[in-house]
Every structure is written in C-alpha cells, then in structure tokens.
Amino acid sequence: MQFLPDGFTLAIVATVIVASIVPCHGIGAVIFSHLTTLAIAAMFFMQGARLSREAVISGLAHWRLHLTILFSTFVIFPALAFGFRGLFPHLISPAVMVGLLYISLLPSTVQSSIAFTSIAHGNVPAAICSATFSTLLGVIVTPLMSGLLLNTQGAGGGDDGLRGVGAVFLELLLPFLIGQLLRPWIADWAARNRNILKITDRGSIILVVYTAFSAAVMRGLWHQLPLSGFAEIVVANAVLLALVLLITTFGSRLLGFAKPEEVAIVFCGSKKSAATGVPMANVLFSASTVGLIVLPLIIFHQMQLMVCAVLAKRYARQYEAGLKAEGVSVYSAE
C-alpha cells in the first residue's frame, strides 16, 4: 500500500484531467488567477504568523544551504541539460531541445517549493529565503544566460524584470511580513489550527496546477506535437528531474546537512518556475518558436509537482514515524 498514490497526489492528477477537459478561459481564467494569488498570499501570511523571528533569522543564516540550492539551480541543472545535448545531439528535435535547455536556466519556484517543504516538515524559513532569492536572482541571471547560451535576442527587458520583482514582493514577501507583524496576536491561534496551514499549502498547489495547465491546454498543448514528440519531452524531463533529485538528496547528505535542511535543498533545488519562465520566454524568443519552447517547461512543471507531492508525503511519514518512536503524539499527514 505504501507505493500507491495518496489523496494529495490523486488530487493533482485529477486536477490535470479536469483542466484538460474543462480548462478555465476568459473571465474564468481571470477569476482563477486571482484565486491562486489569494491562496498563495494566504499561505505566506500563515507561514509568517507561525514562524518566530528567531526561526526567520536562523533561515537567513543558513548560507551553506542557500549556496547549495543556488548551485543546484543555476549550475547543476544547466550542466546536466547541456551535457545531455552534447551526448545525444540528434535524439531530440532542435526546438524541443531549446525548450529543455531553457528549463535548466530558470530560477526555482517559490510557492510550491515552500509548500512542499512545509508538508515534509523541512526547514521552512530557509526554504523561504532560498526560493525567494532564487526568483529575484533569476530575473537577472536567466535572461543573461539565455542570451549567452541560447542565442536569444533582446534578453531581459527591464520592465519585465521589474514586474517580476514587484510580483514577488506583493504576492509573497508582503503577506509574510504582515503575518510576522501580527504574530504576537495570532500566533497561538495559528498553532492551534495547523490544518488551516495544511489547506492553504495544498490548496495553493492545486490552484497553480489547474490555472497553469488550463493555460497550456488553451494554447493547444495537445495539438502542437505528435505523440512521439510529446513522449520525447516526457522522457527527457523525467531523466532530468530524476538526476537532479538524486544529486540534491545524496549531495545534501554528503555535505552533512540535517534532515530539515535536506528537505529544503531537495524541494528548492530541484524545481523550475513556470510562473517566471512562461512570461520571460515571450520576451526572449520569437513568436514562431515560443510555443514549442514553453511546452517542455509546462510539462516539467506538472511533473515536478506530482513527483514532489509523493516525496513530500514520504518525508512527512518519516518525520511522524520518528516522533511516534520518541513517544510524541502527532496528527496524521493525511
């Protein structure tokens, strides 16, 4: 039974199926976009309300962890992707290969990395710091690396970068800071109602999956490639994701990180942001190629959510088993 999908993973798969059959569009897409923003803001508000100032300062102080995550995001990922192109130059069509290379240059996700770290009982303050810094750094690094390595034109429009920084602040950092400021009055309530945090964590991921996949379906996700081309993307993405997960998991252990820090490294260091990558691709690439270049990213985004959902529940079960072995009563991860 332990190898069967849990309820959360099945919910993500069901969300993908629903988005494929009944994608949101028009005014519905606008409404779901706003709902997703509110859910993400609520998650960060609750995180801010629960985390003590000491924990936040401790998260900032984990410089070795931050460097490890950034190294995985901006060095290991590109090395694997470009190495794959060097070893198998004719295995994948050129347009799809550019899409895979573009994935490797993107920053980490923020909301899902932190949500999965929270579900898995990892170091949430450190994950917040690393994922947010990765996104801010990616606004500069990704266009520069894309221009140098992928021969894009006009990389990194300034207004686009400023909008990205503004979105990170308004949707993520500001709710977190408000939660921190209100912590003296609501911390006890938040601690007593931990299931609310669980709902905001998982609800935000479900909404991200639905809105992102709906947008992909409306762009003609299932019509842009033949079945063989789609299979190429799935297999290449799976190999890339599996290698990075293995490297971050065993690499963090070799570097002597404790389990909470390992969790943060695995979930922050193995992700790539579709929220950053899709709009940025519209600036970096021509209109005739952007569809096929973005398609591998959208598929990778869904794949990483599904795989990390399973990993997060596995880490959560290990954590709860350890507490039970010590005689500590815990609520179920389910």
Side-chain angles (χ1 to χ4, degrees), residues 170-187:
L170 290 176
E171 296 178 21
L172 310 176
L173 294 182
L174 184 59
F176 178 80
L177 292 174
I178 293 173
Q180 278 281 291
L181 291 174
L182 296 179
R183 175 176 163 75
W185 295 278
I186 63 176

Side-chain angles (χ1 to χ4, degrees), residues 223-299:
H223 302 287
Q224 292 188 36
L225 280 180
L227 189 60
S228 60
F230 183 78
E232 287 179 3
I233 295 175
V234 171
V235 172
N237 278 339
V239 171
L240 183 61
L241 180 60
L243 288 174
V244 173
L245 286 171
L246 287 171
I247 291 171
T248 51
T249 300
F250 293 102
S252 60
R253 295 174 186 176
L254 288 173
L255 291 172
F257 286 104
K259 184 65 72 173
E261 285 68 47
E262 174 191 323
V263 169
I265 291 170
V266 168
F267 289 121
C268 295
S270 65
K271 295 267 200 343
K272 291 295 180 175
S273 175
T276 300
V278 171
M280 195 176 287
N282 291 326
V283 176
L284 299 176
F285 302 99
S286 65
S288 61
T289 61
V290 70
L292 280 178
I293 289 172
V294 167
L295 185 59
L297 170 61
I298 294 171
I299 295 172

Side-chain angles (χ1 to χ4, degrees), residues 22 40 42 73 103 105 108 122 129 135 148 173 188 211 231 247 276:
V22 191
I40 293 168
T73 301
I103 290 173
L105 303 178
S108 177
C129 297
T135 297
L148 290 171
L173 294 182
D188 292 338
T211 53
I247 291 171
T276 300

Side-chain angles (χ1 to χ4, degrees), residues 133-154:
F133 184 63
S134 175
T135 297
L136 295 174
L137 189 62
V139 171
I140 301 171
V141 172
T142 298
L144 288 177
M145 294 180 71
S146 297
L148 290 171
L149 301 175
L150 301 181
N151 297 319
T152 61
Q153 301 297 323

